[in-house]
Structure formats: C-alpha cells, structure tokens
Amino acid sequence: MSTLALKENRFYDWWPVVLGLLVLYVPTFYGLANGLWQDPDQAQGPLILMVVAYLFWQQREYLIVNSQAKTWTITGGIIFASGLLIYIIGRSQEILIFEVGSQILVVIGLLLITRGMKTLRAMWFPIFFLFFMLPLPGSFIDTMTLPMKIAVSYVADNVLFWFGYPIARTGVMLQVGQYQLMVADACAGMHTLVSLEALGLLYLNLIKHDSAVRNIVLATLIIPISFIANVTRVMILILITYYFGDEAGQGFVHKFAGMVLFIVALMMIMGIDSALQHYVKRRSVNCDHA
C-alpha cells in the first residue's frame, strides 16, 4: 500500500470519532446559535468555533502520522469519562459552562487514547482556544465589567476635556454638549477583553515567532491594548454624537465602531510586534559587532 493511501486510511479512522463528537455537540451549538450567540456580547462564539475547526484541520498531519505513537489509554479514558460526565450534568441541568466546557476534556481524552501525548502537545493551541467559547458566569462579568467601564469613561473624559470639548462625567455617564451617553457593557466589558485576547493569541499563533520572550511580551500587552482600543471606540462614539447628533451615534455608526475596536487593536498588536522585531534585529547586530 502506498504512503498516500496509508495516510488516507489513517485519516478515515477518525470518522467514527468525528461522528460521535457531532452527535454530542451539534445540539449544543444549535442551542447556542439560537440563544446565547444572538447576544451581541457573545457574537464571537461562532467565529471562535470556526477558528478552532481551522486550527485542528491545519494540524491534521499529527492525527495521521502519529497513529503508532504510545497512547495513554487509562489516563485518556479517565479524562474522557470525566468530560462525558460533565457534559451530561451540564446538558441535563442546563449548566451551559459545563456543557460547553466538557468538550475540552472530551477532546483531550480522545487524543490521549488514540494518538498519545505527542499529538496532544501538537494540538495544545486549538484545545486552549476552546476556552474562549466558555460562557462566563454573569456575576463574574458584572464584577469585572464595572471597574473597566469606569476606567474607560475616566480616560475618555479626560482626553476629550484636554482637547477642549465640553464634556463631564458622573460614573459611567458622559455629558458632552447637550447629549448624555452611558458607557455600556459592550463598549468596555469583559466580553470585549476576552475577544481581543483571543484575537491577539491567534495572531501570535499564526505568526509563530521563535522568541518566547517576544510572544510573552505581546500576549501580556494585549490587555492594555484592549483598554486603549475600548477608549478609542468610546471617544469616536462621543465625537460622532457631539457633531452629528444622538441618532448618528446610536445607529449604524455605533455598530461600525465595534469593527473599529478590533481594527485599532490589531493595528496596535502588529505595530508593537514590528517594533519588537526591529529591536531584536538591532540588538542582534550590536551583539555581532561587539
């Protein structure tokens, strides 16, 4: 049998596994599509799912060539069974974080049972990326979102006041001219931070820098980048409302500002990455001349 045919047969071995996962989680994703994912704050869910599917497909070679690798049947079986138990509890009791989160343990268990630790290590990023699909508890979101909104409101207020705009702030309420605006959860909430963190980590994974320090620095800076992008979004909405009225600020432009948020964040990530690359090259040249 040719190498190509052998690889194809090994790939076909995964169809029962894929079918089983579809039976388990298609009802879950269908429920999310008709429920939670319709919330603008959770709109990143389908995109995360598509990215995970793409990342697994991109690493499919590891699922084929490692079929003879040492497997961890007992450990994988325990993890897989734990995932199924969490899924059953989440599905039956309507605990969404259990139902969605169980797929992480299920996938880890299946990889250990069928391909072993080497393949699990190769697949670590798409598995890790599944965490961004988890619906966070409302109490946690509320606790984290309020101080974030106050901080964004404070910075936007001070920056625009410094530029001479007639703006005042009370908590998360901003008064600019005759208009009053409230910084909503979608403009500076926990969901935005999670989405931007996912965007930044995906960028790092696609770029695949060799320098661990460079990756850590970029991953750490995603949090302040998210904050700056949120401030930029809020200031754009304030200025549009001030110059064009409340309807303009709350209409199509309000939704478009969400795209601006991600564009600003991505441009900042790429800019900082380029600066780090320039610094590393310059330092390497200096070391060579030393």
Side-chain angles (χ1 to χ4, degrees):
M1 182 180 292
S2 67
T3 303
L4 179 61
L6 181 60
K7 285 186 176 182
E8 288 179 350
N9 284 340
R10 289 175 179 174
F11 189 71
Y12 290 144
D13 290 343
W14 282 95
W15 283 112
V17 175
V18 173
L19 182 61
L21 290 174
L22 290 175
V23 170
L24 278 177
Y25 290 106
V26 164
T28 298
F29 297 142
Y30 179 79
L32 289 170
N34 289 280
L36 187 67
W37 287 351
Q38 292 189 1
D39 185 339
D41 289 341
Q42 301 283 352
Q44 77 278 3
L47 295 176
I48 297 294
L49 180 60
M50 287 188 288
V51 168
V52 169
Y54 168 76
L55 292 173
F56 270 106
W57 177 255
Q58 192 181 44
Q59 301 278 54
R60 66 189 181 278
E61 189 70 17
Y62 289 97
L63 301 176
I64 301 172
V65 298
N66 289 329
S67 60
Q68 302 302 320
K70 179 183 177 181
T71 58
W72 293 44
T73 307
I74 297 177
T75 303
I78 293 173
I79 295 174
F80 178 73
S82 300
L84 287 181
L85 178 61
I86 293 173
Y87 171 82
I88 292 171
I89 295 173
R91 184 75 178 170
S92 61
Q93 303 301 314
E94 298 184 353
I95 306 174
L96 203 52
I97 192 171
F98 280 12
E99 185 178 350
V100 177
S102 65
Q103 62 187 326
I104 298 172
L105 293 178
V106 168
V107 170
I108 290 174
L110 285 173
L111 288 177
L112 287 175
I113 292 170
T114 58
R115 292 297 184 265
M117 184 60 72
K118 186 176 180 180
T119 297
L120 179 61
R121 290 196 190 101
M123 295 290 186
W124 77 269
F125 186 77
I127 294 173
F128 169 75
F129 214 70
L130 286 169
F131 279 98
F132 290 105
M133 286 184 60
L134 295 180
L136 299 175
S139 57
F140 173 76
I141 293 173
D142 294 339
T143 301
M144 296 298 296
T145 295
L146 182 58
M148 291 171 64
K149 291 197 300 182
I150 292 175
V152 168
S153 305
Y154 175 83
V155 174
D157 170 45
N158 281 272
V159 170
L160 291 177
F161 182 79
W162 186 79
F163 278 101
Y165 286 93
I167 187 170
R169 181 184 67 89
T170 303
V172 296
M173 300 296 298
L174 294 167
Q175 181 81 34
V176 56
Q178 61 180 323
Y179 303 105
Q180 190 176 62
L181 302 91
M182 182 181 72
V183 178
D185 293 354
C187 294
M190 192 65 191
H191 292 298
T192 304
L193 177 61
V194 171
S195 299
L196 291 176
E197 188 72 28
L199 175 67
L201 293 178
L202 178 61
Y203 171 82
L204 292 178
N205 180 259
L206 295 176
I207 297 299
K208 297 186 183 300
H209 292 311
D210 295 329
S211 172
V213 174
R214 187 173 172 183
N215 288 330
I216 293 171
V217 170
L218 278 172
T220 304
L221 289 177
I222 291 172
I223 295 177
I225 286 172
S226 169
F227 180 79
I228 295 171
N230 274 315
V231 171
T232 303
R233 177 187 186 183
V234 170
M235 288 196 301
I236 289 174
L237 291 174
I238 292 171
L239 292 174
I240 290 172
T241 302
Y242 179 71
Y243 284 110
F244 302 103
D246 188 62
E247 290 187 5
Q250 298 301 317
F252 168 77
V253 177
H254 189 276
K255 296 179 180 179
F256 180 75
M259 296 177 59
V260 172
L261 170 76
F262 287 96
I263 293 172
V264 170
L266 184 58
M267 289 179 63
M268 291 183 66
I269 292 170
M270 295 174 66
I272 293 173
D273 188 25
S274 299
L276 287 172
Q277 183 180 13
H278 177 73
Y279 171 77
V280 171
K281 286 184 177 180
R282 186 174 180 180
R283 184 177 180 181
S284 177
V285 171
N286 291 336
C287 290
D288 292 337
H289 288 293

